[in-house]
Amino acid sequence: MTKFILDAYSLCYGSMRRRTLTHEFKIWGLLSTSPLGERTPPQKPVKTQEPLTSQLDRLVGLVQKFTEFVSARETLGDDDDTLRFHELCLALYDTLDGEQVKEFIGRYIHPQGVLRLLAHLGLPKALSTLLSDPSKHPGLLSLPASGQCQWSVTVLDPSRGARQFSTTVTAAHMAERLGDVHVPGPGKISWEDAMEAYSGLVVKTGDFGTGLEWDAARSLLSTPGAVTAHPETTLVQHLVERARGDARGETVTYYIACSRLPCYASVRYVDAVNKVVKPTSRFTMCTTNPDWCRLDVAEPWILPEATSAAVVATLKAEMLWDLAALLH
């Protein structure tokens, strides 16, 4: 399964590196300063026990190796280089996941630091868990060793269909794109009212979302470069395409495991897919309720490549109904 590990990092290393050097850079910096045991509030000196001190010293060394590695390499080198990075990430994850270390860092370094870094290192841990020897981890669902394998592993390229997100946010543009919309139940959508609400909630606060830029002169909301479809939607689209070639006619339910709560658009997308592809397939996630999805953070969202016109139409109708309900 070495090839599986190599393929996964070939697709994901760039994203891991960007997060290390941007979103989590401050936390990594705090953890790379030695000795950690002395980084406590002066009014409450902490006496660390020897086992914890050793763990913290080990953590500092691993963090320094990790940050030096990603800072020096825009891309991974040969296969051995990739596997060394994988082992480094696993060692770092296991050290950060220790109860004493988590408690110490949460109390004295950064309250959410460990959780954010463990999420950042989720890929190496997931690969390790998936490929673990089941004899050493009873009850763990693992891939059999090469030669015995009856599993098929497909690595999806997240860059497929990547493009810039860009939209003009004005009443005139919305009316031109979507027309005069009457939604059964809530009623007619006033684009002037919608833009007034958007201006009050977003424009005036400047909270446009992660990775989005606002051009006030043109009322243009966009990303500086290409963005990819959210991974859960990419996987659903892949499974939809594969199901088209399945002539068995059986209804298959797919559970899409997400590393965090899916966003509103992804939840609505999955609902639209379910309405279009039934009864051959059904998709579910940790939530399929648009009222219980991730609403606190806005991020660029684009449709996966090759999404059918029927899914697009269904998705648009659902989102317009939600908008009308909010405005009324």
Side-chain angles (χ1 to χ4, degrees), residues 154 156 160 231-246 252-257 269 273 277 280-284:
T154 302
L156 302 180
R160 177 187 172 190
E232 59 271 19
T233 64
T234 298
L235 179 55
V236 168
Q237 179 60 29
H238 167 76
L239 293 172
V240 167
E241 293 173 3
R242 191 182 71 172
R244 289 174 185 157
D246 188 351
V252 179
T253 298
Y254 299 92
Y255 178 78
I256 308 300
Y269 167 83
V273 170
V277 302
T280 58
S281 304
R282 176 169 177 77
F283 301 92
T284 184

Side-chain angles (χ1 to χ4, degrees), residues 149-162:
C149 186
Q150 299 177 354
W151 290 62
S152 174
V153 177
T154 302
V155 179
L156 302 180
D157 185 354
S159 65
R160 177 187 172 190

Side-chain angles (χ1 to χ4, degrees), residues 8 12 62 93 110 116 122 126 191 206 233 236 262 271 320:
C12 300
L62 290 170
Y93 186 102
H110 192 290
R116 288 174 60 178
W191 294 117
T233 64
V236 168
D271 185 46
L320 288 174

Side-chain angles (χ1 to χ4, degrees), residues 178-189 320 324:
L178 300 170
D180 196 15
V181 179
H182 291 265
V183 179
K188 180 180 178 180
I189 292 179
L320 288 174

